[in-house]
Structures are given as C-alpha cells and as structure tokens.
Amino acid sequence: RRFGGVLASDGIVLSVPMGELHAIIGPNGAGKTTLIGQLIGEIVPNSGTIAFAGNDITALATYQRSVMGLARSFQITSLFPDFTALDNVALAVQAHAGHSFRFWKNAREEKALRDPARAVLDRVGLSNRADTVVSSMSHGEHRQLEIAMALATKPRMLLLDEPMAGMGPEESARMVKTLLELKKEYTILLIEHDMEAVFALADRISVLVYGRVIATGLPAD
C-alpha cells in the first residue's frame, strides 16, 4: 500500500494459523495500523491478496468481512460516550444481527439485545459496570469495552490495535488476563508496544519495519 511517496506496506507476507495469537511489533511509522486497516477493509491495498478462512476477501467491504468473522479494535477508542456500557455492546449485537427488531419498542427492553450484551461484558470483566455511562468510565475500561463490542459481533478472528495504549500497570495486567482467556477461543492478531504484554501473550511475533516483515518467530527467538 502506497500513500504518495510513502510505501506503508511493502510486500508483506504474513500467515496467522487458526487458534494462534500473533503479535506485530515495530517502531512508530512501521505500517502496523495500515496493515490492520487493509485486513479489515478500511484501506484498499494497491496490490496483493488478502485471504481469510480460505476465501479471497481483498475486494470485500468492511461489513462483509465482519459478517465473515473479522472484528477489530482501534488504536483510539471509538465508543458512544453518552450511552451506558451495556447500550454500547447492545448496539454491536444489533448491528451484527442486521435488523432493528420491533421499531416502536424501546430497544433497552429487548432481551435479544441485552442478554448477549451482558454476557459479553461479563467475559471482559465489566459486568458490574453495565449501567455506567461510558464518559464516566476509566480509559482502561474503555479499552475493555471496545473488545466487548468486537466480541458481540461473534468473530472468528480479532484484530487488536494497541489495546494497552495509555494504560497504567494495573489496567495493563487486567487486559493481559482478559486476552489470555480470549486466546483460548479466538485467533488474534495483536499490535502492541507493551513488550511485557507481547511476550506474555504471543505464540509468534512478527517484526514490521518500514512496511516490511523483517523477522517472524517464537517469543524466545
């Protein structure tokens, strides 16, 4: 992928087997977020092929990739600050379901939305914050909530863009614990600057520099 004179993705060859937590590390400007943007469909590559679960998805729109089971979190949180945590996750449940249920009924009374949303909040450790307005939650809770919204879309693979960004040690430790549980069930591509978290979580690591993968191996390597 080229942006003017900048080659942001330079012939990247990357494979993530089912069930693996694969971490991408590298300096600022290495092209990590551009890579995730291409995988999820927000950025169109100039050349090359992206395959997911045996299917060529290079030309598919973001929503089509979501339906197939790809979900992402963002480098900067993308939430509805005036809604509760439960409202935010329920919206993700509703978006994935593809319909608005009964138009004249209060969506907050719809069990088909609220029950799955509560279950997902419990998975990320936010069950006791379900009715808290997002604007009054901590930064670390925002990151947990964003992952809950990704889980609400019933993904097969999670693309996580710096989920520990801006967190203190206690919040980071809580996120690592959450991701250790999620990696038992989901394939995960993780971009992260927190090296302690990377080495605690990753099955394999790829190093990205100037848009190129210069090394891939086990954390011990």
Side-chain angles (χ1 to χ4, degrees), residues 100-113:
S100 55
F101 296 90
R102 289 179 286 279
F103 186 77
W104 297 111
K105 183 177 179 180
N106 186 342
R108 289 192 172 97
E109 298 173 5
E110 185 59 66
K111 284 178 66 65
L113 296 177

Side-chain angles (χ1 to χ4, degrees), residues 107-139:
R108 289 192 172 97
E109 298 173 5
E110 185 59 66
K111 284 178 66 65
L113 296 177
R114 312 297 271 186
D115 289 353
R118 287 188 187 279
V120 171
L121 284 173
D122 186 54
R123 291 205 65 184
V124 301
L126 288 177
S127 56
N128 64 334
R129 304 288 276 165
D131 298 319
T132 303
V133 175
V134 167
S135 59
S136 65
M137 296 171 74
S138 71
H139 173 73

Side-chain angles (χ1 to χ4, degrees), residues 9-219:
S9 297
D10 187 3
I12 292 174
V13 177
L14 182 68
S15 175
V16 183
M18 186 181 294
E20 180 176 86
L21 193 151
H22 195 115
I24 305 288
I25 64 174
N28 291 330
K32 301 185 295 296
T33 295
T34 298
L35 171 61
I36 279 199
Q38 291 175 95
L39 297 180
I40 202 64
E42 292 161 352
I43 298 173
V44 179
N46 298 116
S47 62
T49 302
I50 301 168
F52 176 63
N55 301 296
D56 186 341
I57 64 169
T58 314
L60 295 186
T62 300
Y63 76 90
Q64 293 171 306
R65 300 182 198 207
S66 176
V67 170
M68 291 180 70
L70 274 176
R72 75 162 293 181
S73 72
F74 293 85
Q75 194 172 24
I76 300 171
T77 51
S78 181
L79 303 168
F80 298 97
D82 298 328
F83 288 4
T84 66
L86 185 61
D87 289 338
N88 272 262
V89 181
L91 281 168
V93 173
Q94 185 176 19
H96 186 72
H99 55 78
S100 55
F101 296 90
R102 289 179 286 279
F103 186 77
W104 297 111
K105 183 177 179 180
N106 186 342
R108 289 192 172 97
E109 298 173 5
E110 185 59 66
K111 284 178 66 65
L113 296 177
R114 312 297 271 186
D115 289 353
R118 287 188 187 279
V120 171
L121 284 173
D122 186 54
R123 291 205 65 184
V124 301
L126 288 177
S127 56
N128 64 334
R129 304 288 276 165
D131 298 319
T132 303
V133 175
V134 167
S135 59
S136 65
M137 296 171 74
S138 71
H139 173 73
E141 288 173 332
H142 287 173
R143 307 302 292 191
Q144 289 173 277
L145 180 58
E146 194 171 46
I147 290 177
M149 292 178 72
L151 294 177
T153 67
K154 300 180 180 178
R156 297 174 65 181
M157 182 177 186
L158 293 170
L159 307 174
L160 305 181
D161 193 357
E162 297 193 35
M164 262 75 80
M167 285 188 178
E170 189 175 319
E171 289 178 325
S172 292
R174 200 156 45 236
M175 179 63 78
V176 167
K177 184 178 179 182
T178 297
L179 295 181
L180 282 171
E181 286 300 311
L182 294 180
K183 71 176 285 191
K184 297 175 183 176
E185 185 175 343
Y186 300 99
T187 304
I188 300 174
L189 185 70
L190 171 70
I191 287 177
E192 186 53 58
H193 281 293
D194 184 331
M195 289 300 101
E196 283 191 28
V198 167
F199 285 105
L201 291 165
D203 298 308
R204 285 195 306 155
I205 299 171
S206 289
V207 184
L208 194 66
V209 179
Y210 294 127
R212 286 189 171 191
V213 175
I214 63 168
T216 294
L218 303 173

